[in-house]
Structure formats: structure tokens, C-alpha cells
Amino acid sequence: MKWHKQLLSKLQERSGKKIALAIDTSTKQTNTLLIQNIVKLFGEVAPHSLLVQADFKIRNITPIKEDKITYYTHGKSSYTEVLEWADQEKIDTLFYITDVTGYFYEELKVNCEVFWLVPDEFVPKVPFGKAIRVA
């Protein structure tokens, strides 16, 4: 699949950089097997990455190898806290698995590179960064 090569290339190009993978856990209507496979890819290619689980707030931050993911059913999602955390932690590149239906404060300054990993056939316009369809 095309997105596999694209994601692998993005990770390899950022070797030695501070990388985080955020997962929007606000719904159970996601392809959990796909997400597990993406987490596994990060664990193999970028083992020093951090895994951030968030919905309307950050729920958990762990090393990428610890991949127990808890999903919720409320459907509320905000990117603000994760983006602020990425700035505080001086993350170079943030990969965010989401359907891009969450919100963030418009005045928020984003200082890291962001890739939106969209696990759906429809890829909406992203507010900044680059979208990659992973479906």
C-alpha cells in the first residue's frame, strides 16, 4: 500500500529526531487493527517515540512499545492539549491518528511538524501540516 511506504519514509527521514504518535481515542468507530499496526511500525522504526492517547484531554503518555489503547464513546476530541504538550516537550514531529473532526484553539502556535494520519476514505482539509490517508 502506498501509505505504508510514505509513512515508513517519513519516519526514516526523521531518524534521531524527537517523534510522538498521538491517537484520537474519542470513538470506538475506528479501525483498531490498523491503529495497532501503525503503533507496531513506529515501535520498530522509531522505537524512542512516545505514544500519546487523547480525546478531549491527554489520557496517557507512554513509550511506543506499550501499546494498550483505550477507546471511548463520547466522540469529543480536542487537539489543543496534545499540541501544547508537543511544544513543551520540544517534539520535532507529531503524527496524529484522527479523523480530523476535533478542535483546537485558533491562536495556538504549533512549533512542530504535524502529519495527520487519517484512517478513513474521506480526508478532510487539515488546519496545518500534511494529511496522509492510512485507510
Side-chain angles (χ1 to χ4, degrees):
M1 291 184 191
K2 183 180 175 184
W3 69 264
H4 286 106
K5 289 180 182 178
Q6 188 178 11
L7 185 55
L8 179 61
S9 172
K10 299 285 182 209
L11 286 171
Q12 289 172 332
E13 289 167 4
R14 285 150 186 85
S15 178
K17 301 276 188 177
K18 198 165 182 183
I19 297 173
L21 173 64
I23 300 174
D24 177 356
T25 58
S26 65
T27 180
K28 290 183 178 179
Q29 296 177 351
T30 57
N31 183 340
T32 56
L33 181 58
L34 172 68
I35 293 171
Q36 286 296 116
N37 286 334
I38 292 171
V39 170
K40 185 176 179 182
L41 175 67
F42 272 74
E44 292 171 3
V45 179
H48 300 294
S49 300
L50 294 172
L51 177 64
V52 182
Q53 297 180 51
D55 45 27
F56 57 87
K57 65 179 184 176
I58 292 176
R59 300 285 184 165
N60 200 5
I61 300 172
T62 61
I64 198 74
K65 294 280 186 190
E66 297 178 28
D67 59 355
K68 170 83 172 83
I69 301 168
T70 303
Y71 295 95
Y72 300 88
T73 58
H74 52 69
K76 297 176 191 166
S77 182
S78 170
Y79 307 127
T80 301
E81 198 170 317
V82 173
L83 293 168
E84 288 175 338
W85 169 85
D87 185 45
Q88 289 171 344
E89 294 297 315
K90 301 199 180 344
I91 299 295
D92 295 308
T93 305
L94 176 67
F95 293 85
Y96 212 129
I97 302 174
T98 180
D99 57 7
V100 197
T101 59
Y103 65 91
F104 64 95
Y105 294 122
E106 292 292 327
E107 60 275 357
L108 182 67
K109 287 198 184 273
V110 179
N111 296 313
C112 66
E113 179 179 40
V114 178
F115 289 98
W116 304 94
L117 306 180
V118 184
D120 199 347
E121 292 298 319
F122 174 73
V123 179
K125 185 176 186 292
V126 295
F128 48 83
K130 183 174 180 355
I132 300 174
R133 184 172 68 86
V134 293

